[in-house]
Amino acid sequence: MEVRRRQQDRRAATRRALVSAARTLFAEKGYAATSTPEIVAAAGVTRGALYHHFADKQALFAAVVEEEHALLALSIHQVAEGGDDETGPVKALVRGGEGFLSAMQDAGRRRILVVDAPAVLGRAAVDEIDARHGLRTLIEGVNAAIEAGAIRDVPALPLAHLLNAMFDRAAQAEGKDVDAYRKVMKAIIRGLRTK
């Protein structure tokens, strides 16, 4: 039993090292400019270890994208649920949008999720990953706001998809443009209020 646990721990540590090293390199150089020999060297593992855990570089990249989406969703959730005393579903949607925009100011994350992921994995695969993380929580937030009567009673899924597209477009903003996108995002979400 102890031997099996140590093996599982080693496997998990190797996988973790590969994903972490790959994330760093993909963020700095982009998918196309990153080689698997660089990744295994940075992870401190063998090429065989890479292919034991992942079929190829694209599969490793998909794991990085999945993790980035999970971390992004966690960050958004923390911001949406935190904050000042003003609560409510509309405020949570606004804060969630702000959390997304702030988290996407990491240039490496933007390169991985906005530039490389759709090109490498395809839009459908990226949408599936997003549906498991950020989009799922956005749909829940929109449903909560509609059910509370805080925003107009419109079809929740199309609204969530449109808000998600708005957030994705805003994520491409840099520098001073970020504040302008932030203001417009707030205005659009607040414009959905019923009162």
Side-chain angles (χ1 to χ4, degrees):
M1 185 69 119
E2 185 62 31
V3 172
R4 179 177 277 179
R5 187 179 323 174
R6 278 186 280 166
Q7 287 173 337
Q8 289 173 338
D9 289 347
R10 275 196 306 272
R11 279 193 290 269
T14 299
R15 181 179 169 82
R16 176 79 245 127
L18 284 163
V19 171
S20 179
R23 193 274 183 214
T24 299
L25 290 165
F26 291 145
E28 289 173 3
K29 300 173 70 172
Y31 178 82
T34 300
S35 69
T36 56
E38 287 177 293
I39 294 168
V40 297
V45 301
T46 66
R47 198 166 165 94
L50 169 65
Y51 293 112
H52 174 75
H53 290 278
F54 300 98
D56 54 19
K57 183 172 102 169
Q58 185 175 347
L60 174 57
F61 182 71
V64 169
V65 170
E66 185 87 35
E67 183 172 276
E68 283 297 305
H69 271 279
L71 292 171
L72 183 59
L74 179 63
S75 177
I76 293 166
H77 181 73
Q78 288 171 338
V79 171
E81 296 299 314
D84 54 32
D85 291 338
E86 185 182 346
T87 59
V90 174
K91 183 66 174 177
L93 287 171
V94 168
R95 282 196 298 237
E98 290 174 343
F100 175 81
L101 196 53
S102 294
M104 290 302 289
Q105 291 313 294
D106 177 296
R109 177 173 280 157
R110 235 184 0 259
R111 171 181 269 164
I112 290 168
L113 296 182
V114 176
V115 177
D116 285 346
V120 174
L121 303 177
R123 184 79 255 160
V126 173
D127 288 346
E128 283 180 29
I129 292 169
D130 186 32
R132 289 191 290 274
H133 301 288
L135 181 60
R136 179 185 54 79
T137 57
L138 181 56
I139 291 168
E140 290 169 2
V142 166
N143 276 321
I146 291 170
E147 289 170 10
I151 64 173
R152 296 178 193 160
D153 188 6
V154 296
L157 190 59
L159 176 57
H161 281 285
L162 288 172
L163 290 175
N164 196 41
M166 175 181 68
F167 296 151
D168 281 349
R169 179 62 185 98
Q172 297 174 41
E174 296 181 61
K176 294 179 182 179
D177 291 341
V178 173
D179 289 333
Y181 276 93
R182 185 174 277 117
K183 287 177 186 175
V184 172
M185 286 170 35
K186 284 182 187 179
I188 289 171
I189 293 169
R190 289 180 175 150
L192 294 168
R193 290 186 291 206
T194 56
K195 315 173 200 169

